[in-house]
Amino acid sequence: MSKNIPYRIYLTEDEVPKYYYNLRADMPTKPAPLLNPGTHEPLKVEDLEPIFCTELAKQELDNDTRLIEIPDEVREYYKTYRPAPLMRAYALEKALDTPAEIYYKFEGNNTSGSHKLNSAIAQAYYAKQQGLKGVTTETGAGQWGTALSMACAHFGLDCRVYMVKVSYEQKAYRREVMRTYGANVTPSPSDTTEVGRQILKEHPGTGGSLGCAISEAVEVATHNPGYRYVLGSVLNQVLLHQSIIGLECKTAMDKYDIKPDIIIGCCGGGSNFGGLIAPFMGEKLTGKADYQFIGVEPKSCPSFTRGEYRYDFCDTGRVTPLAKMYTLGNGFIPSANHAGGLRYHGDSSILSELYHEGMFDAVAYEQTEVFKAAEFFARTEGLLPAPESSHAIKGAIDQALKCKETGEKKVILFGLTGTGYFDMTAYQQYNDGTMTDTIPTDADLQKGFDYIPDFPGNEAE
Ligand SMILES: *Cc1c(COP(=O)(O)O)cnc(C)c1O
């Protein structure tokens, strides 16, 4: 049993990982490859090069290299805010009166306020190395766009962000942070792209979705020389970069002889959860150790718990390659009263394959119970969590309460992906008691599934 654990377990600068860990190398069944939507053939690096910069295209398709060196310039930037602290949640444990030990990895200690900066720095670096002028992207809640603007400012790249319209309007401050770092921010859907104009025609007055914004950003990247598209989640390359979250956790926990029994993360596109669990899942896959993993998602956007495991487009405009994943259908847009983040219709192909094999569990919560957990956490631990992160908090609290019932002294680790300072509109709804929950009916979900491309071999598994 571990003892004398400080509140904050710090590592030294030297302990910032030197390599990314590519979990795919240890997966007996590799994640399904990206497919060309026209021919349904697996994509090669050359096929991805018009969209992604070359190094990232290679990382996307590399299922074999276990360790990929982190470039010096990227690691130097990491050192300005990493290693991220691993916290022991003594106050939360006490308030819950649980025999469980609770730890969380806090990724909100940088200006962008989330783990997204970990991948933004790598992606901006490789784009700059290739001599590109700039990158385009989408952002939902704004964390990814903020992270990318910071990274682009650092490496001297132009940054064009398509921001989901509801967030653009609700999160004006986050938009201004991006502009302060020099990014060009457009509300999506917009009339600046072909696909945006099409979506506006079909859904006038829509608040937009990540899927729409992706279509717009991809169009701009492929129509402007010297530009490539970058994405803050879902892709294999992003999970690769985020492996530094799990690697740091593992180093810190090993130092204090702590072995987590349960590892919990929130799931949007899967990047923080995939990164957090990577080294631990690697041990599980190779029979070195066993852990229970729990991915947490919103009931209003339940990709793992109610989605279908099939090839689908990554975007609403159906311009991206096809990815095999648990999906609600590329046309799925979560109900307008959903403020709690994690709005993406699909999930990482790596996580989807692992979930399909039963390597982790998934649970879904309603947003009001998630905000209740956020409030409890803020009042006990002091940190104001992002709504997305609060899904993991709710998951951890539930597990800790289970331990209280059974008397088991389990060790729980969860990912606290970011801070909630820019989510005060959602907190306000919660505080005013006007926040509501919508759980899609089977008929609602069927409408989304109807968007999934139908071709031989793409039946739901
Ligand atoms: C983007 C984001 C998430 C969800 O994205 P994943 O790719 O699933 O990690 C979770 N928390 C915060 C704070 C985010 O910004």
Side-chain angles (χ1 to χ4, degrees):
M1 184 49 57
S2 41
K3 51 179 182 286
N4 296 329
I5 310 291
Y7 279 88
R8 301 176 147 240
I9 305 178
Y10 275 113
L11 297 173
T12 66
E13 239 175 61
D14 273 351
E15 289 169 304
V16 168
K18 296 187 173 68
Y19 296 87
Y20 296 121
Y21 167 54
N22 186 1
L23 177 61
R24 284 169 283 169
D26 286 323
M27 287 171 67
T29 307
K30 305 300 177 195
L34 291 170
L35 298 186
N36 177 314
T39 63
H40 302 150
E41 289 297 315
L43 293 175
K44 302 190 197 68
V45 171
E46 310 86 89
D47 303 318
L48 291 175
E49 279 179 316
I51 310 178
F52 300 135
C53 77
T54 306
E55 196 52 40
L56 292 168
K58 284 184 188 157
Q59 290 182 0
E60 192 58 33
L61 302 185
D62 186 342
N63 284 340
D64 305 308
T65 315
R66 283 187 83 242
L67 297 175
I68 294 180
E69 194 167 7
I70 301 176
D72 278 347
E73 284 177 70
V74 171
R75 198 160 168 266
E76 289 304 307
Y77 196 163
Y78 282 161
K79 285 182 191 170
T80 65
Y81 69 98
R82 308 198 70 84
L86 177 69
M87 310 288 296
R88 172 76 186 266
Y90 284 114
L92 181 63
E93 289 169 17
K94 191 159 170 233
L96 293 171
D97 189 23
T98 173
E101 287 181 24
I102 308 175
Y103 296 85
Y104 59 94
K105 179 72 164 169
F106 180 49
E107 287 290 328
N109 61 337
N110 67 77
T111 300
S112 75
S114 81
H115 66 289
K116 298 233 170 45
L117 189 59
N118 302 334
S119 186
I121 294 170
Q123 296 196 43
Y125 169 81
Y126 292 120
K128 188 67 183 177
Q129 280 301 102
Q130 193 173 324
L132 297 176
K133 271 193 259 176
V135 290
T136 71
T137 198
E138 78 295 331
T139 196
Q143 284 97 331
W144 167 243
T146 310
L148 188 69
S149 334
M150 286 175 72
C152 285
H154 182 81
F155 289 112
L157 279 172
D158 184 31
C159 180
R160 299 196 194 167
V161 181
Y162 282 83
M163 185 169 185
V164 176
K165 193 185 272 164
V166 275
S167 307
Y168 185 90
E169 284 158 6
Q170 275 189 2
K171 302 193 175 179
Y173 289 155
R174 184 148 320 254
R175 177 184 82 212
E176 293 314 314
V177 177
M178 286 185 254
R179 293 180 63 209
T180 304
Y181 284 103
N184 179 304
V185 190
T186 309
S188 167
S190 76
D191 59 8
T192 65
T193 64
E194 194 76 40
V195 61
R197 288 188 289 272
Q198 191 60 35
I199 292 165
L200 281 173
K201 207 159 68 185
E202 283 170 25
H203 308 272
T206 174
S209 71
L210 270 183
C212 299
I214 295 175
S215 311
E216 292 206 272
V218 170
E219 182 180 321
V220 174
T222 49
H223 287 61
N224 288 283
Y227 282 79
R228 292 292 188 282
Y229 167 70
V230 292
L231 181 59
S233 184
V234 187
L235 296 173
N236 297 340
Q237 55 186 278
V238 184
L239 268 76
L240 174 71
H241 306 148
Q242 296 297 359
S243 67
I244 61 172
I245 302 173
L247 291 168
E248 284 182 6
C249 279
K250 186 102 190 27
T251 306
M253 293 187 124
D254 284 350
K255 237 182 192 176
Y256 284 86
D257 227 1
I258 309 161
K259 186 185 171 292
D261 298 299
I262 310 175
I263 305 177
I264 302 170
C266 62
C267 290
S271 74
N272 86 83
F273 184 56
L276 172 68
I277 68 174
F280 302 99
M281 182 62 86
E283 289 192 341
K284 182 166 173 143
L285 289 170
T286 53
K288 293 195 186 92
D290 198 15
Y291 304 94
Q292 184 189 357
F293 303 101
I294 305 173
V296 186
E297 59 188 16
K299 275 201 173 161
S300 55
C301 193
S303 333
F304 281 128
T305 49
R306 294 176 70 197
E308 293 188 344
Y309 188 38
R310 298 169 70 181
Y311 270 104
D312 192 11
F313 287 97
C314 303
D315 67 323
T316 312
R318 302 163 75 98
V319 300
T320 62
L322 298 174
K324 189 167 178 185
M325 55 187 174
Y326 278 84
T327 178
L328 300 168
N330 59 76
F332 181 84
I333 296 183
S335 100
N337 65 0
H338 174 69
L342 311 175
R343 302 171 62 93
Y344 189 60
H345 67 269
D347 219 297
S348 140
S349 288
I350 295 175
L351 289 182
S352 293
E353 177 55 33
L354 292 168
Y355 186 64
H356 192 62
E357 292 169 17
M359 298 302 290
F360 69 88
D361 305 319
V363 294
Y365 294 118
E366 291 170 27
Q367 64 178 348
T368 44
E369 55 183 346
V370 165
F371 275 80
K372 191 163 178 231
E375 177 188 74
F376 191 75
F377 185 80
R379 291 179 187 184
T380 50
E381 286 291 309
L383 267 165
L384 180 74
E388 294 87 348
S389 322
S390 305
H391 289 75
I393 294 174
K394 169 70 179 153
I397 289 177
D398 277 7
Q399 290 301 321
L401 290 176
K402 217 187 223 176
C403 288
K404 184 176 171 177
E405 268 171 37
T406 60
E408 284 176 290
K409 290 186 171 39
K410 287 197 174 165
V411 177
I412 300 168
L413 165 66
F414 74 90
L416 189 76
T417 49
T419 50
Y421 303 121
F422 289 107
D423 298 288
M424 297 327 289
T425 311
Y427 273 99
Q428 186 179 5
Q429 287 172 5
Y430 175 75
N431 292 331
D432 288 346
T434 56
M435 178 170 273
T436 54
D437 297 308
T438 320
I439 302 174
T441 62
D442 287 343
D444 293 336
L445 291 187
Q446 189 54 48
K447 276 184 220 154
F449 296 145
D450 290 343
Y451 280 83
I452 300 175
D454 220 351
F455 58 89
N458 200 33
E459 297 77 25
E461 278 185 33

